Amino acid sequence: MTLSDLENADSISVSIDSLLVVTEKPNNPFYSVQGDDPDNATWRALFGNNVGFTHRRLGESVGMLVIATHPRPLACTGVAVARDLILTNWHCAPTWIATTAGVVEVPEQFWTDEHCSNTIVDFSWDDDSVSRDFSCTEVVEKDEYLDYALLRIAPDGRDRAVRIARLRSTPRAEDGSLTLVHHPLADRKQITVDCQFGQRKARNSWRGNRLQTEFEHICDSEAGSSGAPIFDSEGFVIGLHHLGFDRHKHTCMPIDSVNKAVWIDAIIEDLREKNFSIRDLGIVLDQH
């Protein structure tokens, strides 16, 4: 059946196999924003009246991932780094098992083929008029310690191209304003502009075994922002946001006030060490 057939039909029947509904607000948000009032975060809608064309173009490479895992779906952000590749966080597709000691994660089963086959990527969850929906077809590479997953994607239905982000390979920029494009709370695409680096620009890996692979920033974020790109003032991706404020393990109260990101050049170097050709992958760097 074609669209022209539907136009001439008196009625059609639609069968819904499954339905995923995103709530307007979470019951227990974990705000990682500056200031005393978390409800006044500095992000704003990408297609709002006060966002310029340059920032909107940056946002065209950003999509929301919905990972339909059991028992509940998860949402993260990702950035298109090639025509058919998106980069997001490793921790966005977890596997947990129940043990006598409680529920524990199974690191080797994060971002499995099953996770991929149950993931959709929506580059159009914003206020523009273009539909750009993709499916995950392959987990190309993943790394727990740098908290990244590189996924191959394909358009659903009509072939829709997405804008490819340019990555900053060297040298590291450690000053200047930053921009974060993300889907906080699985909301429509938002942008946090003119934010800054934190004090520590050479943090060790969140898992502790990689040196100087992360940096702190103070771009407001929230659950759902994981995997979002951080752009420098020239529009290059310099980092992949992956953690908000550190929190006390018992009270969940924040014990610091900075967010954390993985340096993009650390991810590029990791791919090269694993014998990937950045050029063959189609990834665009500032230097070739």
Side-chain angles (χ1 to χ4, degrees):
M1 180 174 288
T2 65
L3 289 176
S4 60
D5 295 327
L6 294 177
E7 291 175 354
N8 297 324
D10 293 330
S11 63
I12 59 172
S13 297
V14 177
S15 175
I16 299 177
D17 294 327
S18 62
L19 180 65
L20 177 64
V21 178
V22 178
T23 59
E24 182 177 359
K25 287 187 177 182
N27 292 329
N28 299 294
F30 289 96
Y31 293 101
S32 293
V33 303
Q34 304 297 312
D36 297 328
D37 185 0
D39 289 323
N40 287 327
T42 59
W43 59 69
R44 54 200 185 209
L46 183 68
F47 280 83
N49 294 330
N50 55 351
V51 177
F53 175 76
T54 300
H55 281 134
R56 288 183 181 178
R57 281 180 66 85
L58 292 180
E60 291 177 1
S61 63
V62 178
M64 184 175 78
L65 292 85
V66 178
I67 306 101
T69 53
H70 181 77
R72 58 188 177 90
L74 302 172
C76 277
T77 303
V79 57
V81 295
R83 180 183 60 84
D84 60 348
L85 295 174
I86 191 169
L87 187 65
T88 189
N89 282 154
W90 170 86
H91 77 253
C92 287
T95 294
W96 303 83
I97 60 172
T99 70
T100 55
V103 178
V104 297
E105 65 181 32
V106 186
E108 61 271 18
Q109 294 184 24
F110 279 42
W111 274 117
T112 62
D113 291 342
E114 183 178 359
H115 286 111
C116 178
S117 63
N118 287 284
T119 295
I120 60 171
V121 184
D122 189 351
F123 288 96
S124 53
W125 182 224
D126 48 33
D127 295 309
D128 71 359
S129 59
V130 180
S131 176
R132 296 182 298 273
D133 297 331
F134 288 69
S135 295
C136 177
T137 62
E138 179 190 2
V139 180
V140 177
E141 188 54 66
K142 58 184 178 180
D143 191 271
E144 172 186 0
Y145 305 104
L146 294 177
D147 198 15
Y148 79 84
L150 184 65
L151 311 176
R152 195 172 306 281
I153 56 175
D156 291 336
R158 185 180 302 177
D159 188 10
R160 294 283 192 183
V162 297
R163 185 172 181 82
I164 299 171
R166 302 174 300 164
L167 310 187
R168 176 77 73 187
S169 59
T170 183
R172 290 181 174 181
E174 297 186 356
D175 54 18
S177 63
L178 305 175
T179 298
L180 178 70
V181 183
H182 52 138
H183 287 276
L185 306 174
D187 198 357
R188 289 178 175 84
K189 199 176 297 181
Q190 305 288 311
I191 186 167
T192 307
V193 301
D194 296 330
C195 45
Q196 304 295 322
F197 284 97
Q199 290 186 348
R200 298 172 62 189
K201 304 179 181 69
R203 291 172 54 104
N204 293 339
S205 164
W206 69 321
R207 297 303 203 204
N209 69 335
R210 302 286 182 92
L211 300 179
Q212 300 182 0
T213 57
E214 301 186 11
F215 64 90
E216 296 175 348
H217 67 88
I218 55 174
C219 304
D220 286 352
S221 69
E222 175 56 305
S225 302
S226 292
I230 298 179
F231 297 91
D232 64 14
S233 59
E234 295 181 339
F236 289 96
V237 177
I238 63 166
L240 201 66
H241 169 77
H242 81 128
L243 290 175
F245 296 174
D246 289 339
R247 296 181 180 275
H248 192 280
K249 64 180 180 179
H250 297 303
T251 66
C252 285
M253 296 299 295
I255 57 177
D256 70 4
S257 58
V258 290
N259 295 322
K260 295 89 183 174
V262 179
W263 282 106
I264 203 70
D265 65 344
I267 296 175
I268 294 168
E269 183 60 27
D270 186 71
L271 288 170
R272 285 173 170 156
E273 289 177 355
K274 294 173 178 174
N275 296 319
F276 285 97
S277 166
I278 301 301
R279 184 182 296 273
D280 289 348
L281 286 172
I283 296 174
V284 179
L285 304 180
D286 56 338
Q287 297 181 11
H288 296 279

Coordinates of all heavy atoms in Angstrom, one line a residue, residues 187-271:
D187 N 13.1 15.7 27.4 CA 12.3 16.8 26.8 C 12.7 17.1 25.4 O 13.7 16.6 24.9 CB 12.5 18.1 27.7 CG 11.5 19.2 27.5 OD1 10.6 19.0 26.6 OD2 11.5 20.2 28.2
R188 N 12.0 18.0 24.7 CA 12.4 18.4 23.4 C 13.8 19.0 23.5 O 14.3 19.4 24.5 CB 11.4 19.5 22.9 CG 10.1 19.0 22.5 CD 9.2 20.1 22.0 NE 7.9 19.6 21.5 CZ 6.8 19.3 22.3 NH1 6.9 19.5 23.6 NH2 5.7 18.9 21.7
K189 N 14.5 19.0 22.3 CA 15.9 19.4 22.3 C 16.1 20.8 22.9 O 15.4 21.8 22.5 CB 16.3 19.4 20.8 CG 17.8 19.3 20.6 CD 18.1 19.2 19.1 CE 17.6 17.9 18.5 NZ 18.0 17.8 17.1
Q190 N 17.0 20.8 23.8 CA 17.3 22.1 24.6 C 18.8 22.4 24.4 O 19.6 21.6 24.0 CB 17.1 21.9 26.1 CG 15.7 21.4 26.4 CD 14.6 22.5 26.2 OE1 14.8 23.6 26.7 NE2 13.5 22.1 25.6
I191 N 19.1 23.7 24.6 CA 20.5 24.2 24.5 C 20.8 25.0 25.7 O 20.1 25.8 26.2 CB 20.6 25.0 23.2 CG1 22.1 25.4 23.0 CG2 19.7 26.2 23.2 CD1 22.4 25.9 21.6
T192 N 22.0 24.7 26.2 CA 22.6 25.5 27.3 C 23.8 26.2 26.7 O 24.7 25.6 26.3 CB 23.1 24.6 28.5 OG1 22.0 23.8 28.9 CG2 23.5 25.4 29.7
V193 N 23.8 27.6 26.7 CA 24.8 28.3 26.0 C 25.6 29.2 27.0 O 25.2 29.4 28.2 CB 24.2 29.3 25.0 CG1 23.4 28.5 23.9 CG2 23.3 30.3 25.6
D194 N 26.8 29.6 26.6 CA 27.7 30.5 27.3 C 28.0 29.9 28.7 O 28.1 30.7 29.7 CB 27.1 31.9 27.4 CG 26.9 32.5 26.1 OD1 27.8 32.2 25.2 OD2 26.0 33.3 25.9
C195 N 28.2 28.6 28.9 CA 28.6 28.1 30.1 C 30.1 27.9 30.1 O 30.7 28.1 29.0 CB 27.9 26.8 30.5 SG 27.7 25.6 29.1
Q196 N 30.7 27.4 31.2 CA 32.1 27.5 31.3 C 32.7 26.1 31.8 O 32.0 25.2 32.2 CB 32.6 28.6 32.3 CG 32.0 29.9 32.0 CD 32.6 30.5 30.7 OE1 33.8 30.3 30.4 NE2 31.8 31.2 29.9
F197 N 34.0 26.0 31.6 CA 34.7 24.9 32.2 C 34.7 25.0 33.8 O 34.6 26.1 34.3 CB 36.2 24.9 31.8 CG 36.4 24.4 30.4 CD1 36.6 25.3 29.4 CD2 36.6 23.0 30.1 CE1 36.8 24.8 28.1 CE2 36.8 22.6 28.9 CZ 36.9 23.5 27.8
G198 N 34.8 23.9 34.4 CA 35.0 23.9 35.9 C 36.5 24.0 36.1 O 37.3 24.2 35.2
Q199 N 36.9 23.9 37.4 CA 38.3 24.1 37.7 C 39.2 23.0 37.2 O 40.3 23.2 36.8 CB 38.4 24.2 39.3 CG 37.8 25.5 39.8 CD 38.1 25.7 41.3 OE1 38.6 24.8 42.0 NE2 37.9 26.9 41.8
R200 N 38.7 21.8 37.3 CA 39.5 20.6 36.9 C 39.3 20.2 35.5 O 38.2 19.8 35.1 CB 39.3 19.4 37.9 CG 39.6 19.7 39.3 CD 39.1 18.6 40.2 NE 39.7 17.3 39.9 CZ 39.4 16.1 40.4 NH1 38.3 16.1 41.2 NH2 40.0 15.0 40.1
K201 N 40.3 20.4 34.7 CA 40.2 20.1 33.2 C 41.0 18.8 32.9 O 41.1 18.5 31.7 CB 40.7 21.3 32.4 CG 40.0 22.6 32.8 CD 40.6 23.8 32.0 CE 39.9 25.1 32.3 NZ 40.3 25.5 33.7
A202 N 41.5 18.1 33.8 CA 42.2 16.9 33.6 C 41.9 15.9 34.7 O 42.8 15.4 35.4 CB 43.7 17.2 33.5
R203 N 40.6 15.5 34.8 CA 40.2 14.5 35.7 C 40.5 13.1 35.2 O 40.5 12.9 34.0 CB 38.7 14.6 36.0 CG 38.2 15.8 36.7 CD 36.7 15.8 36.7 NE 36.1 14.6 37.2 CZ 35.6 14.5 38.4 NH1 35.5 15.5 39.2 NH2 35.1 13.3 38.8
N204 N 40.8 12.2 36.1 CA 40.9 10.8 35.7 C 39.6 10.2 35.4 O 38.5 10.7 35.8 CB 41.7 10.0 36.8 CG 43.1 10.5 36.9 OD1 43.7 11.1 36.0 ND2 43.7 10.2 38.1
S205 N 39.6 9.1 34.7 CA 38.3 8.4 34.3 C 37.4 8.1 35.5 O 37.9 7.9 36.6 CB 38.7 7.1 33.6 OG 37.6 6.2 33.6
W206 N 36.1 8.1 35.3 CA 35.2 7.9 36.4 C 35.4 6.5 37.0 O 35.0 6.3 38.1 CB 33.7 8.0 35.9 CG 33.3 6.9 34.9 CD1 34.0 6.3 33.9 CD2 32.0 6.3 34.8 NE1 33.3 5.4 33.2 CE2 32.0 5.4 33.7 CE3 30.8 6.5 35.5 CZ2 30.9 4.6 33.4 CZ3 29.7 5.7 35.2 CH2 29.8 4.8 34.1
R207 N 36.0 5.6 36.2 CA 36.3 4.2 36.8 C 37.7 4.2 37.3 O 38.1 3.2 37.9 CB 36.2 3.2 35.7 CG 34.8 3.0 35.1 CD 33.8 2.7 36.2 NE 32.6 2.0 35.7 CZ 31.4 2.0 36.2 NH1 31.2 2.6 37.4 NH2 30.4 1.3 35.7
G208 N 38.5 5.3 37.2 CA 39.7 5.4 37.9 C 41.0 4.9 37.2 O 42.1 5.0 37.7
N209 N 40.8 4.2 36.0 CA 42.0 3.6 35.4 C 42.5 4.3 34.1 O 43.3 3.7 33.4 CB 41.7 2.1 35.1 CG 40.7 2.0 34.0 OD1 39.9 2.9 33.8 ND2 40.7 0.9 33.3
R210 N 42.0 5.4 33.8 CA 42.4 6.2 32.7 C 42.8 7.6 33.2 O 42.0 8.2 33.9 CB 41.4 6.3 31.6 CG 40.9 5.0 31.0 CD 41.9 4.4 30.1 NE 41.4 3.1 29.6 CZ 40.8 3.0 28.4 NH1 40.6 4.1 27.7 NH2 40.4 1.8 28.0
L211 N 44.0 8.1 32.8 CA 44.4 9.4 33.3 C 44.0 10.5 32.4 O 44.2 10.5 31.2 CB 46.0 9.3 33.5 CG 46.5 8.2 34.4 CD1 48.1 8.3 34.4 CD2 46.0 8.4 35.8
Q212 N 43.5 11.6 33.1 CA 43.3 12.9 32.4 C 42.4 12.7 31.2 O 42.7 13.3 30.2 CB 44.6 13.6 32.1 CG 45.5 13.8 33.3 CD 46.7 14.5 33.0 OE1 47.0 14.9 31.8 NE2 47.5 14.8 34.0
T213 N 41.3 12.0 31.3 CA 40.4 11.8 30.2 C 39.1 12.6 30.3 O 38.3 12.6 29.4 CB 40.1 10.3 30.0 OG1 39.5 9.8 31.2 CG2 41.3 9.5 29.7
E214 N 38.9 13.3 31.4 CA 37.7 14.0 31.7 C 37.9 15.4 32.1 O 39.0 15.8 32.5 CB 36.8 13.3 32.8 CG 36.5 11.8 32.4 CD 35.5 11.2 33.5 OE1 35.0 12.0 34.3 OE2 35.3 10.0 33.4
F215 N 36.9 16.2 32.0 CA 36.9 17.6 32.5 C 35.6 18.0 33.2 O 34.6 17.3 32.9 CB 37.3 18.6 31.4 CG 36.3 18.7 30.3 CD1 35.2 19.6 30.3 CD2 36.3 17.9 29.1 CE1 34.3 19.8 29.3 CE2 35.4 18.0 28.1 CZ 34.4 19.0 28.2
E216 N 35.7 19.0 34.0 CA 34.5 19.5 34.7 C 33.9 20.7 33.9 O 34.6 21.4 33.2 CB 34.8 20.0 36.1 CG 35.3 18.8 37.0 CD 35.8 19.4 38.4 OE1 35.9 20.6 38.5 OE2 36.0 18.5 39.3
H217 N 32.6 20.8 33.9 CA 31.9 21.9 33.3 C 30.7 22.3 34.1 O 30.2 21.5 35.0 CB 31.5 21.6 31.9 CG 30.4 20.6 31.7 ND1 29.1 20.9 31.7 CD2 30.5 19.2 31.6 CE1 28.4 19.8 31.6 NE2 29.2 18.8 31.5
I218 N 30.2 23.5 33.9 CA 29.1 24.0 34.7 C 27.9 24.3 33.7 O 27.1 25.2 34.0 CB 29.4 25.2 35.5 CG1 30.0 26.3 34.7 CG2 30.4 24.8 36.7 CD1 30.3 27.6 35.5
C219 N 27.8 23.5 32.7 CA 26.6 23.6 31.8 C 25.4 22.9 32.5 O 25.6 21.7 32.8 CB 26.8 23.0 30.4 SG 28.3 23.7 29.6
D220 N 24.3 23.5 32.7 CA 23.2 22.9 33.4 C 22.8 21.6 32.6 O 22.6 21.7 31.4 CB 22.0 23.9 33.5 CG 22.2 24.9 34.6 OD1 23.2 24.8 35.3 OD2 21.4 25.9 34.6
S221 N 22.5 20.6 33.4 CA 22.1 19.3 32.7 C 21.1 18.6 33.7 O 20.9 19.0 34.8 CB 23.3 18.4 32.4 OG 23.9 17.9 33.7
E222 N 20.6 17.5 33.2 CA 19.7 16.6 34.0 C 19.7 15.2 33.4 O 20.3 15.0 32.4 CB 18.3 17.3 33.9 CG 17.2 16.5 34.6 CD 17.4 16.2 36.1 OE1 18.4 15.5 36.3 OE2 16.5 16.5 36.9
A223 N 19.1 14.3 34.1 CA 18.9 13.0 33.6 C 18.3 13.1 32.2 O 17.4 13.8 31.9 CB 18.0 12.2 34.5
G224 N 18.9 12.3 31.2 CA 18.5 12.5 29.8 C 19.5 13.2 29.0 O 19.6 13.1 27.8
S225 N 20.4 14.0 29.7 CA 21.4 14.7 29.1 C 22.7 13.9 28.8 O 23.5 14.3 28.0 CB 21.9 15.9 29.9 OG 20.8 16.8 30.2
S226 N 22.7 12.7 29.4 CA 23.9 11.8 29.2 C 24.1 11.6 27.7 O 23.2 11.2 27.0 CB 23.7 10.5 29.9 OG 23.7 10.7 31.3
G227 N 25.4 11.7 27.3 CA 25.8 11.5 25.9 C 25.7 12.7 25.0 O 26.0 12.6 23.8
A228 N 25.3 13.8 25.6 CA 25.2 15.1 24.9 C 26.6 15.7 24.5 O 27.5 15.6 25.3 CB 24.4 16.1 25.6
P229 N 26.7 16.3 23.3 CA 28.0 16.9 22.9 C 28.1 18.2 23.6 O 27.2 19.0 23.8 CB 27.8 17.0 21.4 CG 26.3 17.2 21.2 CD 25.7 16.4 22.3
I230 N 29.4 18.5 23.9 CA 29.7 19.9 24.4 C 30.6 20.5 23.3 O 31.6 20.0 22.9 CB 30.5 19.8 25.7 CG1 29.7 19.2 26.8 CG2 31.0 21.2 26.1 CD1 30.4 19.1 28.1
F231 N 30.1 21.6 22.8 CA 30.7 22.3 21.7 C 31.6 23.5 22.2 O 31.2 24.1 23.2 CB 29.7 22.9 20.7 CG 28.8 21.9 20.0 CD1 27.6 21.5 20.6 CD2 29.2 21.4 18.8 CE1 26.8 20.6 20.0 CE2 28.4 20.4 18.2 CZ 27.2 20.1 18.8
D232 N 32.7 23.7 21.6 CA 33.5 24.9 21.9 C 33.0 26.1 21.1 O 32.0 26.0 20.4 CB 35.0 24.7 21.6 CG 35.4 24.5 20.2 OD1 34.5 24.7 19.3 OD2 36.5 24.0 19.9
S233 N 33.6 27.3 21.3 CA 33.1 28.5 20.7 C 33.2 28.5 19.2 O 32.6 29.3 18.5 CB 33.9 29.7 21.2 OG 35.3 29.6 21.0
E234 N 34.0 27.6 18.6 CA 34.1 27.5 17.1 C 33.2 26.4 16.5 O 33.2 26.1 15.3 CB 35.5 27.2 16.7 CG 36.5 28.3 17.1 CD 37.9 28.1 16.6 OE1 38.2 26.9 16.4 OE2 38.7 29.0 16.5
G235 N 32.4 25.8 17.4 CA 31.4 24.8 16.9 C 31.9 23.4 16.8 O 31.2 22.5 16.2
F236 N 33.1 23.1 17.4 CA 33.6 21.7 17.4 C 33.2 21.0 18.7 O 33.2 21.6 19.7 CB 35.1 21.7 17.3 CG 35.7 22.1 15.9 CD1 36.0 23.4 15.7 CD2 35.8 21.2 14.9 CE1 36.5 23.8 14.4 CE2 36.2 21.5 13.7 CZ 36.6 22.9 13.4
V237 N 32.9 19.7 18.6 CA 32.6 18.9 19.8 C 34.0 18.7 20.5 O 34.9 18.1 19.9 CB 32.0 17.6 19.4 CG1 31.8 16.8 20.7 CG2 30.6 17.8 18.7
I238 N 34.0 19.1 21.8 CA 35.3 18.8 22.5 C 35.0 17.8 23.6 O 36.0 17.3 24.2 CB 35.8 20.1 23.2 CG1 34.8 20.7 24.2 CG2 36.2 21.1 22.1 CD1 35.4 21.8 25.1
G239 N 33.8 17.5 23.9 CA 33.5 16.6 25.0 C 32.2 15.9 24.9 O 31.3 16.4 24.2
L240 N 32.0 14.8 25.6 CA 30.8 14.1 25.7 C 30.3 14.1 27.2 O 30.9 13.5 28.0 CB 31.0 12.6 25.2 CG 29.7 11.8 24.8 CD1 29.1 12.5 23.5 CD2 30.1 10.4 24.5
H241 N 29.3 14.8 27.4 CA 28.7 14.9 28.8 C 28.3 13.6 29.3 O 27.7 12.8 28.6 CB 27.5 15.9 28.9 CG 26.8 15.8 30.2 ND1 27.3 16.4 31.3 CD2 25.7 15.2 30.5 CE1 26.4 16.2 32.3 NE2 25.4 15.4 31.8
H242 N 28.7 13.2 30.6 CA 28.3 11.9 31.0 C 27.9 11.8 32.5 O 27.3 10.8 32.9 CB 29.4 10.8 30.7 CG 30.5 10.8 31.6 ND1 30.9 9.6 32.2 CD2 31.4 11.7 32.1 CE1 32.0 9.8 33.0 NE2 32.3 11.1 32.9
L243 N 28.2 12.8 33.3 CA 27.9 12.7 34.7 C 27.4 14.1 35.2 O 28.0 15.1 34.8 CB 29.0 12.2 35.6 CG 29.5 10.8 35.4 CD1 30.7 10.5 36.2 CD2 28.3 9.8 35.8
G244 N 26.5 14.1 36.1 CA 26.1 15.3 36.8 C 26.8 15.5 38.1 O 28.0 15.0 38.3
F245 N 26.2 16.1 39.1 CA 26.8 16.3 40.4 C 27.0 14.9 41.0 O 26.2 14.0 40.9 CB 25.9 17.1 41.3 CG 25.7 18.6 40.8 CD1 24.8 19.4 41.5 CD2 26.3 19.1 39.7 CE1 24.5 20.7 41.1 CE2 26.1 20.4 39.3 CZ 25.2 21.2 40.0
D246 N 28.2 14.8 41.7 CA 28.4 13.7 42.6 C 27.4 13.7 43.8 O 27.1 14.8 44.3 CB 29.8 13.6 43.1 CG 30.8 13.3 42.0 OD1 30.4 12.7 41.0 OD2 32.0 13.6 42.2
R247 N 26.9 12.6 44.2 CA 25.9 12.6 45.2 C 26.2 11.5 46.3 O 26.9 10.5 46.0 CB 24.5 12.3 44.6 CG 24.0 13.4 43.7 CD 22.7 13.1 43.1 NE 22.3 14.2 42.2 CZ 21.8 15.4 42.6 NH1 21.5 15.5 43.9 NH2 21.6 16.4 41.8
H248 N 25.8 11.8 47.5 CA 26.0 10.9 48.6 C 25.3 9.6 48.4 O 24.1 9.6 48.0 CB 25.6 11.6 49.9 CG 26.0 10.9 51.2 ND1 25.4 9.7 51.6 CD2 27.0 11.2 52.0 CE1 26.0 9.4 52.7 NE2 27.0 10.2 53.0
K249 N 26.0 8.5 48.6 CA 25.4 7.2 48.3 C 24.2 6.8 49.1 O 23.4 6.0 48.7 CB 26.4 6.1 48.4 CG 27.0 5.9 49.7 CD 28.0 4.8 49.7 CE 28.6 4.5 51.1 NZ 29.6 3.4 51.1
H250 N 24.0 7.5 50.3 CA 22.9 7.1 51.1 C 21.8 8.2 51.0 O 20.6 7.8 51.0 CB 23.4 7.0 52.6 CG 24.3 5.9 52.8 ND1 24.1 4.6 52.5 CD2 25.6 5.9 53.3 CE1 25.1 3.8 52.8 NE2 26.0 4.6 53.3
T251 N 22.1 9.5 51.0 CA 21.1 10.5 51.0 C 20.8 11.0 49.6 O 19.7 11.7 49.4 CB 21.6 11.7 51.9 OG1 22.7 12.3 51.2 CG2 21.9 11.2 53.3
C252 N 21.6 10.8 48.6 CA 21.5 11.3 47.2 C 21.6 12.8 47.2 O 21.3 13.4 46.2 CB 20.1 10.9 46.6 SG 20.1 9.2 46.1
M253 N 22.1 13.4 48.3 CA 22.3 14.9 48.2 C 23.6 15.2 47.5 O 24.6 14.4 47.6 CB 22.4 15.4 49.7 CG 21.1 15.3 50.4 SD 19.7 16.2 49.6 CE 20.3 17.9 49.8
P254 N 23.6 16.3 46.7 CA 24.9 16.6 46.0 C 26.0 16.9 46.9 O 25.9 17.5 48.0 CB 24.5 17.8 45.2 CG 23.3 18.4 45.9 CD 22.6 17.3 46.5
I255 N 27.2 16.4 46.5 CA 28.4 16.7 47.3 C 29.4 17.5 46.5 O 30.5 17.8 47.0 CB 29.1 15.4 47.8 CG1 29.4 14.5 46.6 CG2 28.2 14.7 48.8 CD1 30.1 13.2 47.1
D256 N 29.0 17.9 45.3 CA 29.8 18.9 44.5 C 28.8 19.6 43.6 O 27.6 19.4 43.7 CB 31.0 18.3 43.8 CG 30.5 17.4 42.6 OD1 29.3 17.4 42.3 OD2 31.4 16.8 41.9
S257 N 29.3 20.6 42.8 CA 28.4 21.4 42.0 C 29.0 21.5 40.6 O 28.8 22.6 40.0 CB 28.2 22.7 42.6 OG 29.4 23.4 42.8
V258 N 29.6 20.5 40.1 CA 30.1 20.5 38.7 C 29.7 19.2 38.0 O 29.5 18.2 38.6 CB 31.6 20.6 38.7 CG1 32.1 22.0 39.2 CG2 32.3 19.5 39.5
N259 N 29.5 19.4 36.7 CA 29.2 18.2 35.8 C 30.5 17.7 35.2 O 31.5 18.4 35.2 CB 28.2 18.6 34.7 CG 26.8 19.0 35.3 OD1 26.4 18.4 36.3 ND2 26.2 20.0 34.8
K260 N 30.4 16.6 34.6 CA 31.6 15.9 34.1 C 31.4 15.5 32.6 O 30.3 15.0 32.3 CB 32.1 14.7 34.9 CG 32.5 15.1 36.4 CD 31.3 15.1 37.3 CE 31.7 15.5 38.7 NZ 30.5 15.7 39.6
A261 N 32.5 15.6 31.9 CA 32.5 15.2 30.5 C 33.8 14.5 30.1 O 34.8 14.7 30.8 CB 32.3 16.4 29.5
V262 N 33.7 13.6 29.1 CA 34.9 12.9 28.6 C 35.4 13.7 27.4 O 34.7 14.1 26.5 CB 34.5 11.5 28.1 CG1 35.7 10.8 27.6 CG2 33.9 10.7 29.3
W263 N 36.7 14.0 27.5 CA 37.4 14.7 26.4 C 37.2 13.8 25.1 O 37.4 12.6 25.0 CB 38.8 14.8 26.6 CG 39.2 15.9 27.6 CD1 39.6 15.8 28.8 CD2 39.2 17.4 27.3 NE1 39.9 17.1 29.4 CE2 39.6 18.0 28.4 CE3 38.8 18.1 26.1 CZ2 39.7 19.4 28.5 CZ3 38.9 19.5 26.2 CH2 39.4 20.1 27.4
I264 N 36.7 14.5 24.0 CA 36.5 13.8 22.8 C 37.8 13.3 22.2 O 37.8 12.2 21.5 CB 35.7 14.7 21.7 CG1 35.0 13.9 20.7 CG2 36.7 15.7 21.1 CD1 33.8 13.1 21.3
D265 N 38.9 13.9 22.4 CA 40.2 13.4 21.8 C 40.6 12.1 22.5 O 41.2 11.3 21.9 CB 41.3 14.5 21.9 CG 41.7 14.8 23.3 OD1 40.9 14.5 24.3 OD2 42.8 15.4 23.5
A266 N 40.1 11.9 23.7 CA 40.4 10.6 24.4 C 39.6 9.5 23.7 O 40.1 8.3 23.6 CB 40.1 10.7 25.9
I267 N 38.4 9.8 23.3 CA 37.6 8.8 22.6 C 38.2 8.5 21.2 O 38.3 7.3 20.8 CB 36.2 9.3 22.5 CG1 35.5 9.4 23.9 CG2 35.3 8.3 21.6 CD1 34.1 10.0 23.9
I268 N 38.6 9.5 20.5 CA 39.2 9.3 19.2 C 40.5 8.5 19.3 O 40.7 7.6 18.5 CB 39.6 10.7 18.6 CG1 38.3 11.5 18.3 CG2 40.4 10.5 17.3 CD1 38.5 12.9 17.9
E269 N 41.3 8.8 20.3 CA 42.6 8.0 20.5 C 42.2 6.6 20.8 O 42.9 5.6 20.4 CB 43.4 8.6 21.6 CG 44.7 8.0 21.8 CD 45.6 8.0 20.6 OE1 45.5 8.9 19.8 OE2 46.5 7.1 20.5
D270 N 41.2 6.3 21.6 CA 40.8 5.0 22.0 C 40.4 4.2 20.7 O 40.8 3.0 20.6 CB 39.7 5.0 23.0 CG 39.3 3.6 23.5 OD1 40.2 3.0 24.3 OD2 38.3 3.1 23.2
L271 N 39.6 4.8 19.9 CA 39.2 4.2 18.6 C 40.4 3.8 17.8 O 40.5 2.7 17.2 CB 38.3 5.0 17.8 CG 36.9 5.2 18.4 CD1 36.1 6.3 17.7 CD2 36.1 3.9 18.3

